[in-house]
mmCIF file of all heavy atoms in Angstrom:
data_model
loop_
_atom_site.group_PDB
_atom_site.id
_atom_site.type_symbol
_atom_site.label_atom_id
_atom_site.label_comp_id
_atom_site.label_asym_id
_atom_site.label_seq_id
_atom_site.Cartn_x
_atom_site.Cartn_y
_atom_site.Cartn_z
ATOM 1 N N VAL A 1 19.689 -4.507 3.405
ATOM 2 C CA VAL A 1 19.077 -5.520 2.541
ATOM 3 C C VAL A 1 17.743 -5.961 3.117
ATOM 4 O O VAL A 1 16.733 -6.085 2.406
ATOM 5 C CB VAL A 1 20.015 -6.733 2.364
ATOM 6 C CG1 VAL A 1 19.293 -7.873 1.648
ATOM 7 C CG2 VAL A 1 21.249 -6.328 1.600
ATOM 8 N N ILE A 2 17.721 -6.199 4.430
ATOM 9 C CA ILE A 2 16.475 -6.640 5.072
ATOM 10 C C ILE A 2 15.397 -5.577 4.964
ATOM 11 O O ILE A 2 14.248 -5.865 4.600
ATOM 12 C CB ILE A 2 16.740 -6.995 6.555
ATOM 13 C CG1 ILE A 2 17.651 -8.224 6.643
ATOM 14 C CG2 ILE A 2 15.423 -7.259 7.274
ATOM 15 C CD1 ILE A 2 18.108 -8.541 8.054
ATOM 16 N N LEU A 3 15.762 -4.320 5.225
ATOM 17 C CA LEU A 3 14.784 -3.233 5.149
ATOM 18 C C LEU A 3 14.227 -3.091 3.716
ATOM 19 O O LEU A 3 13.031 -2.873 3.519
ATOM 20 C CB LEU A 3 15.422 -1.918 5.595
ATOM 21 C CG LEU A 3 15.721 -1.798 7.099
ATOM 22 C CD1 LEU A 3 16.459 -0.486 7.379
ATOM 23 C CD2 LEU A 3 14.439 -1.864 7.912
ATOM 24 N N GLN A 4 15.134 -3.223 2.726
ATOM 25 C CA GLN A 4 14.703 -3.103 1.327
ATOM 26 C C GLN A 4 13.726 -4.215 0.965
ATOM 27 O O GLN A 4 12.682 -3.972 0.337
ATOM 28 C CB GLN A 4 15.924 -3.144 0.410
ATOM 29 C CG GLN A 4 15.596 -3.085 -1.083
ATOM 30 C CD GLN A 4 14.956 -1.774 -1.489
ATOM 31 O OE1 GLN A 4 15.146 -0.758 -0.812
ATOM 32 N NE2 GLN A 4 14.191 -1.784 -2.569
ATOM 33 N N LYS A 5 14.046 -5.433 1.363
ATOM 34 C CA LYS A 5 13.166 -6.560 1.055
ATOM 35 C C LYS A 5 11.816 -6.421 1.753
ATOM 36 O O LYS A 5 10.767 -6.742 1.189
ATOM 37 C CB LYS A 5 13.831 -7.874 1.483
ATOM 38 C CG LYS A 5 14.974 -8.296 0.591
ATOM 39 C CD LYS A 5 14.468 -8.673 -0.797
ATOM 40 C CE LYS A 5 15.585 -9.150 -1.690
ATOM 41 N NZ LYS A 5 15.109 -9.485 -3.055
ATOM 42 N N VAL A 6 11.855 -5.942 3.001
ATOM 43 C CA VAL A 6 10.611 -5.753 3.737
ATOM 44 C C VAL A 6 9.754 -4.688 3.069
ATOM 45 O O VAL A 6 8.537 -4.832 2.939
ATOM 46 C CB VAL A 6 10.904 -5.388 5.212
ATOM 47 C CG1 VAL A 6 9.634 -4.913 5.914
ATOM 48 C CG2 VAL A 6 11.481 -6.585 5.947
ATOM 49 N N ARG A 7 10.390 -3.594 2.632
ATOM 50 C CA ARG A 7 9.645 -2.537 1.941
ATOM 51 C C ARG A 7 9.005 -3.066 0.659
ATOM 52 O O ARG A 7 7.858 -2.753 0.337
ATOM 53 C CB ARG A 7 10.571 -1.350 1.629
ATOM 54 C CG ARG A 7 10.719 -0.376 2.783
ATOM 55 C CD ARG A 7 11.307 0.942 2.301
ATOM 56 N NE ARG A 7 12.671 0.767 1.806
ATOM 57 C CZ ARG A 7 13.762 0.940 2.564
ATOM 58 N NH1 ARG A 7 13.641 1.278 3.836
ATOM 59 N NH2 ARG A 7 14.967 0.779 2.036
ATOM 60 N N GLU A 8 9.771 -3.866 -0.107
ATOM 61 C CA GLU A 8 9.234 -4.426 -1.342
ATOM 62 C C GLU A 8 8.039 -5.340 -1.060
ATOM 63 O O GLU A 8 7.036 -5.300 -1.775
ATOM 64 C CB GLU A 8 10.323 -5.207 -2.079
ATOM 65 C CG GLU A 8 11.409 -4.320 -2.676
ATOM 66 C CD GLU A 8 12.527 -5.130 -3.303
ATOM 67 O OE1 GLU A 8 12.436 -6.381 -3.276
ATOM 68 O OE2 GLU A 8 13.488 -4.528 -3.815
ATOM 69 N N ALA A 9 8.164 -6.158 -0.007
ATOM 70 C CA ALA A 9 7.064 -7.055 0.350
ATOM 71 C C ALA A 9 5.839 -6.265 0.806
ATOM 72 O O ALA A 9 4.692 -6.607 0.484
ATOM 73 C CB ALA A 9 7.507 -8.013 1.457
ATOM 74 N N GLU A 10 6.092 -5.163 1.542
ATOM 75 C CA GLU A 10 4.999 -4.326 2.012
ATOM 76 C C GLU A 10 4.284 -3.653 0.848
ATOM 77 O O GLU A 10 3.047 -3.583 0.796
ATOM 78 C CB GLU A 10 5.557 -3.273 2.975
ATOM 79 C CG GLU A 10 4.481 -2.464 3.683
ATOM 80 C CD GLU A 10 5.075 -1.462 4.659
ATOM 81 O OE1 GLU A 10 6.300 -1.253 4.637
ATOM 82 O OE2 GLU A 10 4.302 -0.885 5.434
ATOM 83 N N ARG A 11 5.057 -3.184 -0.137
ATOM 84 C CA ARG A 11 4.462 -2.548 -1.315
ATOM 85 C C ARG A 11 3.640 -3.553 -2.114
ATOM 86 O O ARG A 11 2.547 -3.235 -2.603
ATOM 87 C CB ARG A 11 5.566 -1.961 -2.196
ATOM 88 C CG ARG A 11 6.248 -0.746 -1.602
ATOM 89 C CD ARG A 11 7.492 -0.403 -2.392
ATOM 90 N NE ARG A 11 8.164 0.787 -1.856
ATOM 91 C CZ ARG A 11 9.366 1.196 -2.230
ATOM 92 N NH1 ARG A 11 10.031 0.503 -3.147
ATOM 93 N NH2 ARG A 11 9.909 2.275 -1.712
ATOM 94 N N GLU A 12 4.161 -4.771 -2.266
ATOM 95 C CA GLU A 12 3.444 -5.788 -3.011
ATOM 96 C C GLU A 12 2.133 -6.153 -2.314
ATOM 97 O O GLU A 12 1.098 -6.325 -2.959
ATOM 98 C CB GLU A 12 4.324 -7.039 -3.168
ATOM 99 C CG GLU A 12 3.725 -8.129 -4.039
ATOM 100 C CD GLU A 12 3.516 -7.697 -5.475
ATOM 101 O OE1 GLU A 12 4.214 -6.767 -5.942
ATOM 102 O OE2 GLU A 12 2.634 -8.279 -6.143
ATOM 103 N N ARG A 13 2.198 -6.252 -0.970
ATOM 104 C CA ARG A 13 0.971 -6.557 -0.226
ATOM 105 C C ARG A 13 -0.052 -5.447 -0.396
ATOM 106 O O ARG A 13 -1.247 -5.703 -0.609
ATOM 107 C CB ARG A 13 1.294 -6.716 1.271
ATOM 108 C CG ARG A 13 0.049 -6.928 2.132
ATOM 109 C CD ARG A 13 0.339 -6.635 3.573
ATOM 110 N NE ARG A 13 0.809 -5.286 3.789
ATOM 111 C CZ ARG A 13 0.044 -4.205 3.761
ATOM 112 N NH1 ARG A 13 -1.249 -4.302 3.513
ATOM 113 N NH2 ARG A 13 0.563 -3.013 3.977
ATOM 114 N N GLN A 14 0.416 -4.191 -0.360
ATOM 115 C CA GLN A 14 -0.498 -3.059 -0.512
ATOM 116 C C GLN A 14 -1.117 -3.044 -1.911
ATOM 117 O O GLN A 14 -2.321 -2.809 -2.057
ATOM 118 C CB GLN A 14 0.258 -1.753 -0.265
ATOM 119 C CG GLN A 14 -0.633 -0.524 -0.249
ATOM 120 C CD GLN A 14 0.142 0.743 0.089
ATOM 121 O OE1 GLN A 14 1.262 0.679 0.552
ATOM 122 N NE2 GLN A 14 -0.457 1.892 -0.157
ATOM 123 N N TYR A 15 -0.313 -3.331 -2.930
ATOM 124 C CA TYR A 15 -0.846 -3.366 -4.295
ATOM 125 C C TYR A 15 -1.878 -4.470 -4.446
ATOM 126 O O TYR A 15 -2.955 -4.263 -5.033
ATOM 127 C CB TYR A 15 0.293 -3.565 -5.297
ATOM 128 C CG TYR A 15 -0.189 -3.698 -6.722
ATOM 129 C CD1 TYR A 15 -0.595 -2.587 -7.449
ATOM 130 C CD2 TYR A 15 -0.264 -4.946 -7.331
ATOM 131 C CE1 TYR A 15 -1.055 -2.700 -8.748
ATOM 132 C CE2 TYR A 15 -0.730 -5.081 -8.634
ATOM 133 C CZ TYR A 15 -1.121 -3.961 -9.329
ATOM 134 O OH TYR A 15 -1.590 -4.093 -10.615
ATOM 135 N N GLU A 16 -1.559 -5.664 -3.938
ATOM 136 C CA GLU A 16 -2.482 -6.796 -4.052
ATOM 137 C C GLU A 16 -3.792 -6.511 -3.323
ATOM 138 O O GLU A 16 -4.858 -6.951 -3.753
ATOM 139 C CB GLU A 16 -1.845 -8.069 -3.499
ATOM 140 C CG GLU A 16 -0.699 -8.617 -4.333
ATOM 141 C CD GLU A 16 -1.151 -9.049 -5.722
ATOM 142 O OE1 GLU A 16 -2.286 -9.552 -5.840
ATOM 143 O OE2 GLU A 16 -0.381 -8.871 -6.675
ATOM 144 N N GLU A 17 -3.695 -5.765 -2.210
ATOM 145 C CA GLU A 17 -4.891 -5.468 -1.428
ATOM 146 C C GLU A 17 -5.812 -4.483 -2.138
ATOM 147 O O GLU A 17 -7.041 -4.595 -2.075
ATOM 148 C CB GLU A 17 -4.490 -4.901 -0.061
ATOM 149 C CG GLU A 17 -5.680 -4.538 0.820
ATOM 150 C CD GLU A 17 -5.267 -4.011 2.188
ATOM 151 O OE1 GLU A 17 -4.095 -4.212 2.572
ATOM 152 O OE2 GLU A 17 -6.120 -3.406 2.869
ATOM 153 N N PHE A 18 -5.219 -3.504 -2.856
ATOM 154 C CA PHE A 18 -6.043 -2.425 -3.427
ATOM 155 C C PHE A 18 -6.296 -2.531 -4.929
ATOM 156 O O PHE A 18 -7.153 -1.812 -5.446
ATOM 157 C CB PHE A 18 -5.388 -1.066 -3.119
ATOM 158 C CG PHE A 18 -5.581 -0.623 -1.701
ATOM 159 C CD1 PHE A 18 -4.587 -0.834 -0.763
ATOM 160 C CD2 PHE A 18 -6.762 -0.020 -1.297
ATOM 161 C CE1 PHE A 18 -4.758 -0.434 0.555
ATOM 162 C CE2 PHE A 18 -6.945 0.383 0.012
ATOM 163 C CZ PHE A 18 -5.940 0.170 0.944
ATOM 164 N N LYS A 19 -5.562 -3.401 -5.635
ATOM 165 C CA LYS A 19 -5.719 -3.442 -7.094
ATOM 166 C C LYS A 19 -7.141 -3.809 -7.505
ATOM 167 O O LYS A 19 -7.635 -3.344 -8.535
ATOM 168 C CB LYS A 19 -4.720 -4.421 -7.704
ATOM 169 C CG LYS A 19 -4.998 -5.882 -7.391
ATOM 170 C CD LYS A 19 -4.030 -6.796 -8.125
ATOM 171 C CE LYS A 19 -4.380 -8.258 -7.862
ATOM 172 N NZ LYS A 19 -3.484 -9.181 -8.582
ATOM 173 N N ASP A 20 -7.808 -4.659 -6.703
ATOM 174 C CA ASP A 20 -9.171 -5.068 -7.041
ATOM 175 C C ASP A 20 -10.225 -4.139 -6.430
ATOM 176 O O ASP A 20 -11.423 -4.360 -6.622
ATOM 177 C CB ASP A 20 -9.425 -6.504 -6.561
ATOM 178 C CG ASP A 20 -8.542 -7.511 -7.287
ATOM 179 O OD1 ASP A 20 -8.263 -7.273 -8.473
ATOM 180 O OD2 ASP A 20 -8.124 -8.502 -6.669
ATOM 181 N N ARG A 21 -9.776 -3.122 -5.709
ATOM 182 C CA ARG A 21 -10.725 -2.194 -5.097
ATOM 183 C C ARG A 21 -10.875 -0.902 -5.911
ATOM 184 O O ARG A 21 -11.621 -0.019 -5.512
ATOM 185 C CB ARG A 21 -10.277 -1.861 -3.670
ATOM 186 C CG ARG A 21 -10.311 -3.078 -2.736
ATOM 187 C CD ARG A 21 -9.895 -2.737 -1.330
ATOM 188 N NE ARG A 21 -10.850 -1.854 -0.673
ATOM 189 C CZ ARG A 21 -10.703 -1.414 0.570
ATOM 190 N NH1 ARG A 21 -9.631 -1.769 1.279
ATOM 191 N NH2 ARG A 21 -11.598 -0.619 1.113
ATOM 192 N N ALA A 22 -10.151 -0.829 -7.035
ATOM 193 C CA ALA A 22 -10.340 0.318 -7.931
ATOM 194 C C ALA A 22 -11.784 0.315 -8.418
ATOM 195 O O ALA A 22 -12.335 -0.720 -8.792
ATOM 196 C CB ALA A 22 -9.386 0.237 -9.110
ATOM 197 N N GLY A 23 -12.417 1.489 -8.382
ATOM 198 C CA GLY A 23 -13.820 1.578 -8.767
ATOM 199 C C GLY A 23 -14.776 1.481 -7.589
ATOM 200 O O GLY A 23 -15.991 1.350 -7.783
ATOM 201 N N THR A 24 -14.234 1.557 -6.377
ATOM 202 C CA THR A 24 -15.074 1.522 -5.174
ATOM 203 C C THR A 24 -14.826 2.762 -4.326
ATOM 204 O O THR A 24 -13.865 3.509 -4.553
ATOM 205 C CB THR A 24 -14.790 0.261 -4.322
ATOM 206 O OG1 THR A 24 -13.420 0.305 -3.874
ATOM 207 C CG2 THR A 24 -15.003 -1.007 -5.145
ATOM 208 N N ILE A 25 -15.703 2.960 -3.348
ATOM 209 C CA ILE A 25 -15.575 4.102 -2.425
ATOM 210 C C ILE A 25 -14.893 3.637 -1.152
ATOM 211 O O ILE A 25 -15.116 2.517 -0.676
ATOM 212 C CB ILE A 25 -16.966 4.688 -2.113
ATOM 213 C CG1 ILE A 25 -17.492 5.450 -3.341
ATOM 214 C CG2 ILE A 25 -16.914 5.621 -0.915
ATOM 215 C CD1 ILE A 25 -18.874 6.033 -3.153
ATOM 216 N N ILE A 26 -14.046 4.508 -0.613
ATOM 217 C CA ILE A 26 -13.349 4.191 0.627
ATOM 218 C C ILE A 26 -13.337 5.425 1.523
ATOM 219 O O ILE A 26 -13.350 6.562 1.033
ATOM 220 C CB ILE A 26 -11.905 3.715 0.330
ATOM 221 C CG1 ILE A 26 -11.261 3.121 1.577
ATOM 222 C CG2 ILE A 26 -11.058 4.845 -0.222
ATOM 223 C CD1 ILE A 26 -9.925 2.431 1.303
ATOM 224 N N ASN A 27 -13.346 5.207 2.825
ATOM 225 C CA ASN A 27 -13.237 6.298 3.795
ATOM 226 C C ASN A 27 -11.800 6.373 4.297
ATOM 227 O O ASN A 27 -11.147 5.339 4.502
ATOM 228 C CB ASN A 27 -14.179 6.075 4.976
ATOM 229 C CG ASN A 27 -15.635 6.170 4.569
ATOM 230 O OD1 ASN A 27 -16.019 7.066 3.824
ATOM 231 N ND2 ASN A 27 -16.453 5.234 5.025
ATOM 232 N N GLY A 28 -11.307 7.578 4.486
ATOM 233 C CA GLY A 28 -9.944 7.743 4.960
ATOM 234 C C GLY A 28 -9.806 8.967 5.836
ATOM 235 O O GLY A 28 -10.775 9.700 6.086
ATOM 236 N N LEU A 29 -8.581 9.170 6.317
ATOM 237 C CA LEU A 29 -8.256 10.327 7.151
ATOM 238 C C LEU A 29 -7.237 11.196 6.423
ATOM 239 O O LEU A 29 -6.260 10.685 5.867
ATOM 240 C CB LEU A 29 -7.664 9.878 8.492
ATOM 241 C CG LEU A 29 -8.626 9.298 9.527
ATOM 242 C CD1 LEU A 29 -7.840 8.801 10.734
ATOM 243 C CD2 LEU A 29 -9.622 10.360 9.963
ATOM 244 N N VAL A 30 -7.471 12.488 6.420
ATOM 245 C CA VAL A 30 -6.528 13.417 5.798
ATOM 246 C C VAL A 30 -5.261 13.472 6.642
ATOM 247 O O VAL A 30 -5.310 13.711 7.849
ATOM 248 C CB VAL A 30 -7.145 14.825 5.669
ATOM 249 C CG1 VAL A 30 -6.108 15.807 5.142
ATOM 250 C CG2 VAL A 30 -8.368 14.790 4.769
ATOM 251 N N LYS A 31 -4.106 13.233 5.998
ATOM 252 C CA LYS A 31 -2.833 13.280 6.724
ATOM 253 C C LYS A 31 -2.146 14.635 6.560
ATOM 254 O O LYS A 31 -1.713 15.250 7.512
ATOM 255 C CB LYS A 31 -1.897 12.172 6.230
ATOM 256 C CG LYS A 31 -2.327 10.772 6.659
ATOM 257 C CD LYS A 31 -1.222 9.750 6.411
ATOM 258 C CE LYS A 31 -0.067 9.937 7.376
ATOM 259 N NZ LYS A 31 0.941 8.851 7.260
ATOM 260 N N ARG A 32 -2.059 15.081 5.300
ATOM 261 C CA ARG A 32 -1.372 16.349 5.049
ATOM 262 C C ARG A 32 -1.720 16.819 3.640
ATOM 263 O O ARG A 32 -2.333 16.098 2.863
ATOM 264 C CB ARG A 32 0.144 16.181 5.191
ATOM 265 C CG ARG A 32 0.746 15.212 4.193
ATOM 266 C CD ARG A 32 2.221 14.949 4.468
ATOM 267 N NE ARG A 32 2.807 14.029 3.476
ATOM 268 C CZ ARG A 32 2.723 12.718 3.541
ATOM 269 N NH1 ARG A 32 2.051 12.152 4.551
ATOM 270 N NH2 ARG A 32 3.280 11.960 2.610
ATOM 271 N N GLU A 33 -1.295 18.036 3.337
ATOM 272 C CA GLU A 33 -1.499 18.605 2.010
ATOM 273 C C GLU A 33 -0.152 18.936 1.397
ATOM 274 O O GLU A 33 0.711 19.514 2.044
ATOM 275 C CB GLU A 33 -2.359 19.867 2.080
ATOM 276 C CG GLU A 33 -2.672 20.475 0.714
ATOM 277 C CD GLU A 33 -3.644 21.633 0.798
ATOM 278 O OE1 GLU A 33 -4.271 21.796 1.866
ATOM 279 O OE2 GLU A 33 -3.762 22.381 -0.189
#
C-alpha cells in the first residue's frame, strides 16, 4: 500500500512538473532503445 501510494504521488509530481513545459526544448540523456 505504501509503495503504491508513493508511486502515485511520484507520478502526480512528475505530471505537475512537466505539464506546463510542453512546447519547450529540454536536454536529456539516452537511457535505452
Side-chain angles (χ1 to χ4, degrees):
V1 171
I2 294 173
L3 289 175
Q4 178 65 24
K5 287 293 182 182
V6 168
R7 276 196 295 267
E8 290 175 1
E10 188 178 11
R11 289 169 179 170
E12 185 63 24
R13 176 198 58 75
Q14 186 176 346
Y15 176 77
E16 291 296 325
E17 179 178 344
F18 284 98
K19 69 175 183 179
D20 295 326
R21 295 181 67 180
T24 63
I25 287 178
I26 191 171
N27 293 316
L29 285 175
V30 175
K31 289 192 71 173
R32 62 187 181 277
E33 183 174 346

